[in-house]
Amino acid sequence: LKMFRKPKAKGNTRQRVISDSTENEGSEEAKTYADMEPAKPKALVSFDDDEGADDNFEIKKSKRYQKEQRRQRRMEERAAREIKDEYEEEEVVKKEQTVCIKQEVIDDTQEILMDFEDDKDEGATISLTAASTGQIPDSRVVYEAKKKREELRRKSKTSDFIATDNDNKLNVKGERRRLIREEDDDDSDHEVHTFYSAKTEKREAEERRRITHYDMLEKEEETEMDEWERMQIEKAVSTKNVGELKERQIHEEFMMEQYNLRYGDNKQEVEMDIEVTDELIIRGGTNNCDSLSVPTLLGKLQLRMQDREENLNRRLSEVFNLEKTMEENEEDLKRIRGKGPLLKEKHEMLQRMRVYSMCVIECLNVKAEMVNELVDARRNVNRQRKDRIEERRRRDVKDNYEECSSAMSGKDVNRLRTGEHQQRYSDREARKGKRRRDRQGTIIALSHEEGMSSDDEELPSQMVNDTQTIDGIESRNLQVFSDTLNEYSSLKAIMERIVEWLWADSKSFTDSYVSMCLPKLASHFVRLELSRCDLLRSDYVMHEMEWYREVVLISESCGESVDSDVVISLIPSITHKVVVPYLTDVVREEWEPLSLSQSIRLSTFIRTILGETPSLDERSVPLKRLLQAIVDRFNSTMDDELFVPMFGRCSMDNPASGCRSFLDRQFWSAIKLIKCVTSFCGVISDEMISQLSLSISNRMCVVAIQMVDLTEPHVIIKTRSLLSALSSYIRMGRTNELRPLLACLSNVQKNHGDHKDLVRDCQSAIDEISKKL
């Protein structure tokens, strides 16, 4: 049984053996390259070649081997073509040599025939005939002529015969002596057919390629050397030098001609082999005239002297300029050496400022996030308080209107006040009582009208909560720069170091645009102090703030920098780029337009800034944004806060309904808003104040006066208050805004003719309006 399979022998694959065939050149000299066949490689197996190995298997050749074979075949074909070309050239040379030899043989034959005319045999006659006809003799004639000449040589015993060939004897061992034939005595090399193998042909092709490459390199080197020599010659021999040489040569020729004319010595002129590209202007010489005279020579000499003087003057001018330049250079050198210590000091200062500025910027970048967080926290407290007051005011107006409407319909108002409504009513009455008690015993209490108060009081618990939050923010505010050195945490210290740079090197300070960066460096300190001040609830002026005093004191400690524009404009720059944008955010988020106290404080602070900062004019973009924010806040308040209750005359006459008191309260709220607008006199333009005031009057005040009985005494007080608020801006109003006011004043004047003061005020206002119409 076959239980195991016979394992296959590994490594039994036939190996391909590539061997270079080297043929024996001695035995194969007669064969040509085309007739050669490559030798078969020796068998590496144990069996015979006759077992049909070529039929049974085939050796697989690799691609690399096939590629190498193709390359060898191409080289062999190229070598064969080159051998063929060389062979054809040798054939041409051999033909030319054969023609020459034949011509020599003909000449020799003619000489022999002329020396021996008595020989009349057939061969001589044929030779003579062939020579006389000028044709090329054939081989038989040449052979007969050579034979005859040899016989004559042997027969000749005299020494006056000179053989035309060398009688070189060839002594070969084992052979008899014989003459060397003329063909054998020829000095020309006989062609020897040599067999070229693939290796030999490859070596010869590589040798020819190498020789060709060396020849090309030698030619290139020779070409580069010739080009370099030509360029050096062109540099050495300039056009100017050539012209001078040519002129000197012409002068020498002229002097030689004069010498020859005088002494009669004729000598040939020697031409200079120099090419002149530029055109030369030659003065004098024999080429210009046939004869020379003494005046002509004197004129030419004078010209040469003038040229010499001009050249001398030019050289003297050049020397003078060089001496002047040297003196200036020496002065500059002394000045630069004198500035050396100052420049060294400036360099050291700039290095210190570089390190200090990098540290300051790094410190402020770290503190910027904390500063922004504290400012936003304080602003959020004020904004939330403002929102609560506005929301409460609107709810109170809504509750009053609902109570008046219920009373008009005959309902009991006290029964409708339940829950939150009752709580709001109680809080509102409590605030009114507190304000009434505060006004007792004062002048304000005598002229106070309900609705003129700001009604911004809050619950004690809310006030305590806000106070605690603000105290925590202020404590954190003071701790912002507690972990920082004084030179990095004080605005005065930072500004003094910066201005020290200005005092030491103003040019580099200006070129670095440092003055544009100073407001940004001071912004963190200024915004922190502004957030602590609470401008809407405290009376502050800018020149009393700490940052303002620190910046002002910089001038006193920096000596020569007091008169610098950078120091003078530092406070206006900070105001323009830091304070005004901060106030814009305050107006948009914290300010209550119906609060007369806040409006007066805000307008006073802004008016102070405008007076101390000349750069804040109508072209200032931050100022435009601030004023536009103020106008927008007034417009939004008119839309949201002013409400005119429309009730019938019966409801107005009934005191129990409360409609009359509610209307009066809204009228006085409008008068208060007009006073808030007019408090910005000097901040906002008079035209804008007039427009806002007349708009409030037409929306609320005129309507409220016309809804009541004009004969009532209370109308006189309302009319006088309205005229007092609008007296300064009536003449600036527009036509469509003044018509409602004109009708209202005319009606009041008719119904109260006995009040002379009121009539006079009304008539004055009517006259102003009439002029506009």
Side-chain angles (χ1 to χ4, degrees):
L1 295 177
K2 275 188 175 181
M3 296 181 64
F4 302 97
R5 181 176 295 179
K6 185 177 181 181
K8 295 182 180 180
K10 296 183 179 179
N12 200 17
T13 305
R14 293 194 177 187
Q15 299 180 356
R16 181 174 65 254
V17 179
I18 302 174
S19 61
D20 297 331
S21 59
T22 58
E23 288 78 1
N24 187 3
E25 296 180 359
S27 62
E28 298 295 331
E29 288 180 355
K31 296 183 181 181
T32 61
Y33 182 81
D35 297 334
M36 288 184 58
E37 293 182 358
K40 295 183 179 180
K42 296 180 180 182
L44 300 178
V45 295
S46 61
F47 49 82
D48 224 352
D49 294 335
D50 298 334
E51 293 182 3
D54 295 335
D55 299 333
N56 295 333
F57 66 93
E58 183 180 42
I59 298 175
K60 186 177 180 180
K61 300 178 180 180
S62 63
K63 293 183 179 180
R64 182 176 180 183
Y65 175 75
Q66 294 175 2
K67 185 176 180 181
E68 184 68 23
Q69 289 296 323
R70 287 195 296 271
R71 189 179 66 81
Q72 290 184 3
R73 283 197 295 271
R74 287 195 298 269
M75 292 178 61
E76 290 173 358
E77 292 174 359
R78 185 169 58 190
R81 287 194 300 270
E82 293 178 357
I83 292 172
K84 184 178 179 181
D85 295 339
E86 293 177 359
Y87 179 75
E88 290 176 355
E89 292 177 0
E90 292 177 357
E91 288 293 333
V92 173
V93 174
K94 287 174 66 179
K95 287 180 181 180
E96 293 177 356
Q97 292 177 356
T98 303
V99 172
C100 295
I101 292 171
K102 288 181 179 181
Q103 186 66 31
E104 292 177 359
V105 171
I106 291 171
D107 296 339
D108 295 340
T109 305
Q110 290 178 358
E111 292 178 0
I112 294 171
L113 292 176
M114 290 175 64
D115 294 337
F116 301 95
E117 293 179 356
D118 55 350
D119 193 357
K120 302 296 183 180
D121 58 352
E122 183 179 359
T125 302
I126 295 172
S127 300
L128 182 58
T129 304
S132 62
T133 57
Q135 297 178 356
I136 297 174
D138 56 2
S139 60
R140 188 175 65 82
V141 175
V142 174
Y143 177 72
E144 291 295 338
K146 287 184 177 183
K147 185 176 180 181
K148 178 63 71 176
R149 188 175 59 177
E150 182 66 22
E151 290 178 357
L152 291 175
R153 188 185 65 78
R154 287 197 305 267
K155 291 178 181 181
S156 177
K157 294 182 180 180
T158 60
S159 61
D160 56 348
F161 178 78
I162 300 174
T164 60
D165 58 349
N166 295 327
D167 295 336
N168 294 328
K169 302 297 181 179
L170 181 62
N171 296 326
V172 182
K173 185 178 182 180
E175 295 183 0
R176 62 183 180 85
R177 297 169 62 88
R178 65 180 179 86
L179 284 173
I180 303 299
R181 293 182 179 181
E182 187 176 359
E183 294 82 359
D184 297 334
D185 196 28
D186 192 4
D187 293 336
S188 62
D189 296 335
H190 294 284
E191 179 183 3
V192 180
H193 295 282
T194 306
F195 173 73
Y196 290 90
S197 64
K199 287 186 176 181
T200 305
E201 182 61 27
K202 183 177 180 181
R203 285 195 299 271
E204 291 180 356
E206 293 292 338
E207 185 67 23
R208 286 194 298 273
R209 191 182 304 108
R210 185 167 59 255
I211 293 172
T212 304
H213 181 65
Y214 289 159
D215 293 340
M216 291 176 64
L217 292 177
E218 290 178 358
K219 290 180 180 179
E220 292 179 358
E221 184 176 0
E222 292 176 359
T223 305
E224 293 178 357
M225 183 60 68
D226 296 340
E227 182 68 18
W228 182 81
E229 291 179 355
R230 186 183 65 78
M231 293 173 64
Q232 295 299 322
I233 291 171
E234 289 180 354
K235 290 180 180 179
V237 184
S238 63
T239 304
K240 180 178 179 182
N241 296 334
V242 172
E244 293 177 356
L245 292 175
K246 190 67 177 179
E247 188 175 359
R248 188 182 303 170
Q249 180 190 6
I250 293 171
H251 177 67
E252 291 177 356
E253 290 175 356
F254 171 73
M255 299 301 294
M256 289 298 297
E257 288 178 0
Q258 296 298 322
Y259 180 81
N260 293 335
L261 291 174
R262 183 174 181 180
Y263 297 101
D265 187 8
N266 296 326
K267 294 184 179 180
Q268 296 181 354
E269 297 179 356
V270 179
E271 295 290 336
M272 292 182 66
D273 189 9
I274 299 175
E275 295 182 359
V276 182
T277 57
D278 296 339
E279 183 180 358
L280 297 177
I281 300 174
I282 303 173
R283 298 173 179 174
T286 59
N287 295 328
N288 297 333
C289 59
D290 296 333
S291 62
L292 297 174
S293 61
V294 174
T296 304
L297 292 176
L298 290 177
K300 293 181 178 179
L301 290 175
Q302 288 179 357
L303 291 175
R304 292 185 62 83
M305 291 297 293
Q306 292 177 1
D307 294 341
R308 181 176 175 276
E309 291 294 333
E310 292 178 357
N311 293 332
L312 182 60
N313 293 333
R314 179 173 55 82
R315 294 294 179 86
L316 291 176
S317 177
E318 292 178 356
V319 171
F320 177 75
N321 293 333
L322 290 175
E323 291 178 352
K324 185 177 180 181
T325 304
M326 290 177 62
E327 292 178 358
E328 293 177 354
N329 293 337
E330 290 179 357
E331 293 178 358
D332 294 339
L333 184 60
K334 291 180 180 178
R335 185 175 64 257
I336 291 172
R337 288 177 178 174
K339 291 182 178 180
L342 180 60
L343 294 176
K344 182 179 180 181
E345 183 181 355
K346 288 183 178 181
H347 179 265
E348 294 176 355
M349 182 273 300
L350 291 175
Q351 292 295 330
R352 292 194 303 270
M353 289 305 304
R354 177 177 176 271
V355 176
Y356 179 77
S357 60
M358 292 176 62
C359 295
V360 169
I361 292 173
E362 184 179 358
C363 175
L364 295 180
N365 287 336
V366 174
K367 302 299 181 180
E369 185 176 358
M370 300 175 61
V371 172
N372 294 333
E373 182 180 355
L374 293 173
V375 172
D376 293 340
R378 182 60 183 269
R379 183 168 295 157
N380 289 333
V381 173
N382 295 332
R383 183 176 61 251
Q384 292 173 3
R385 181 180 179 182
K386 184 259 299 182
D387 294 339
R388 288 195 302 268
I389 293 174
E390 288 182 352
E391 183 66 24
R392 186 183 66 187
R393 186 185 301 116
R394 293 170 186 173
R395 283 200 308 266
D396 292 343
V397 172
K398 185 177 179 181
D399 292 343
N400 287 330
Y401 181 73
E402 291 177 354
E403 291 177 0
C404 293
S405 299
S406 301
M408 288 173 57
S409 61
K411 296 181 181 179
D412 189 2
V413 179
N414 295 324
R415 293 182 179 181
L416 297 175
R417 295 170 185 163
T418 58
E420 294 181 358
H421 193 181
Q422 181 64 34
Q423 183 65 34
R424 288 195 297 270
Y425 175 76
S426 301
D427 294 340
R428 183 168 61 249
E429 293 300 326
R431 291 193 301 272
K432 287 181 182 180
K434 182 177 182 303
R435 289 194 298 270
R436 191 180 303 111
R437 289 191 299 270
D438 294 338
R439 289 192 300 268
Q440 288 179 357
T442 61
I443 300 175
I444 299 175
L446 300 176
S447 61
H448 179 76
E449 298 291 342
E450 189 67 30
M452 291 292 290
S453 60
S454 299
D455 193 15
D456 54 357
E457 296 86 358
E458 290 189 309
L459 296 175
S461 59
Q462 185 65 45
M463 295 176 64
V464 171
N465 189 15
D466 292 344
T467 303
Q468 292 178 354
T469 304
I470 292 174
D471 292 341
I473 293 172
E474 290 182 354
S475 62
R476 291 171 56 193
N477 195 339
L478 297 175
Q479 298 296 326
V480 172
F481 293 98
S482 61
D483 58 344
T484 309
L485 296 177
N486 186 36
E487 57 181 345
Y488 303 113
S489 60
S490 174
L491 178 61
K492 181 180 178 181
I494 294 174
M495 292 301 168
E496 285 180 353
R497 292 292 296 272
I498 298 297
V499 174
E500 180 184 354
W501 179 6
L502 174 63
W503 178 75
D505 189 4
S506 60
K507 186 178 183 303
S508 63
F509 185 90
T510 305
D511 295 340
S512 301
Y513 300 98
V514 180
S515 59
M516 300 178 65
C517 303
L518 293 180
K520 190 172 183 179
L521 291 176
S523 62
H524 302 294
F525 303 95
V526 176
R527 293 171 69 236
L528 279 176
E529 186 174 358
L530 289 174
S531 65
R532 291 195 300 266
C533 292
D534 195 3
L535 301 175
L536 298 177
R537 294 169 181 82
S538 302
D539 295 329
Y540 281 95
V541 288
M542 191 172 67
H543 60 268
E544 294 179 356
M545 292 186 176
E546 183 179 358
W547 69 268
Y548 190 95
R549 292 195 299 269
E550 289 180 352
V551 175
V552 169
L553 292 175
I554 292 175
S555 303
E556 300 178 359
S557 60
C558 294
E560 296 183 6
S561 62
V562 174
D563 298 333
S564 175
D565 295 337
V566 176
V567 178
I568 295 173
S569 62
L570 184 56
I571 292 178
S573 299
I574 295 174
T575 304
H576 186 269
K577 296 181 180 180
V578 181
V579 178
V580 175
Y582 182 85
L583 292 176
T584 303
D585 295 336
V586 170
V587 169
R588 290 175 179 173
E589 300 183 10
E590 302 180 28
W591 176 48
E592 299 177 25
L594 274 175
S595 177
L596 185 59
S597 59
Q598 291 186 10
S599 299
I600 293 174
R601 291 190 182 99
L602 180 62
S603 62
T604 302
F605 190 83
I606 296 175
R607 198 178 296 109
T608 304
I609 291 176
L610 294 177
E612 296 178 356
T613 310
S615 60
L616 293 176
D617 51 10
E618 63 275 3
R619 295 174 296 178
S620 176
V621 177
L623 181 60
K624 289 181 180 179
R625 293 175 181 172
L626 174 61
L627 300 181
Q628 187 62 41
I630 294 173
V631 173
D632 293 340
R633 289 290 292 150
F634 276 125
N635 289 326
S636 63
T637 302
M638 283 190 292
D639 296 336
D640 299 335
E641 302 291 340
L642 294 184
F643 175 71
V644 181
M646 305 299 292
F647 302 114
R649 182 59 61 87
C650 297
S651 300
M652 291 291 182
D653 296 337
N654 186 8
S657 63
C659 296
R660 181 63 178 274
S661 61
F662 178 55
L663 180 62
D664 292 342
R665 189 162 49 251
Q666 292 299 108
F667 174 84
W668 292 112
S669 296
I671 295 296
K672 179 183 178 182
L673 184 58
I674 292 175
K675 290 183 177 181
C676 292
V677 172
T678 56
S679 65
F680 284 90
C681 177
V683 178
I684 306 175
S685 63
D686 294 340
E687 290 79 4
M688 181 58 65
I689 293 176
S690 175
Q691 181 181 351
L692 292 173
S693 301
L694 291 174
S695 178
I696 297 170
S697 174
N698 295 332
R699 282 189 180 189
M700 186 67 202
C701 298
V702 173
V703 176
I705 292 174
Q706 292 178 352
M707 288 180 63
V708 299
D709 187 6
L710 296 179
T711 60
E712 293 181 359
H714 203 269
V715 174
I716 299 174
I717 300 174
K718 291 181 180 179
T719 305
R720 286 179 176 176
S721 299
L722 180 60
L723 290 175
S724 176
L726 298 177
S727 60
S728 302
Y729 304 100
I730 291 177
R731 62 180 180 273
M732 301 177 187
R734 292 178 292 187
T735 303
N736 57 348
E737 295 175 347
L738 295 173
R739 283 195 179 96
L741 180 62
L742 178 61
C744 180
L745 294 177
S746 299
N747 294 329
V748 171
Q749 186 181 13
K750 292 177 183 179
N751 292 291
H752 297 278
D754 53 344
H755 291 81
K756 296 181 180 180
D757 296 337
L758 178 62
V759 172
R760 185 178 61 254
D761 295 339
C762 290
Q763 186 62 40
S764 177
I766 290 171
D767 293 340
E768 290 289 341
I769 296 173
S770 299
K771 291 179 182 179
K772 297 290 293 185
L773 297 177

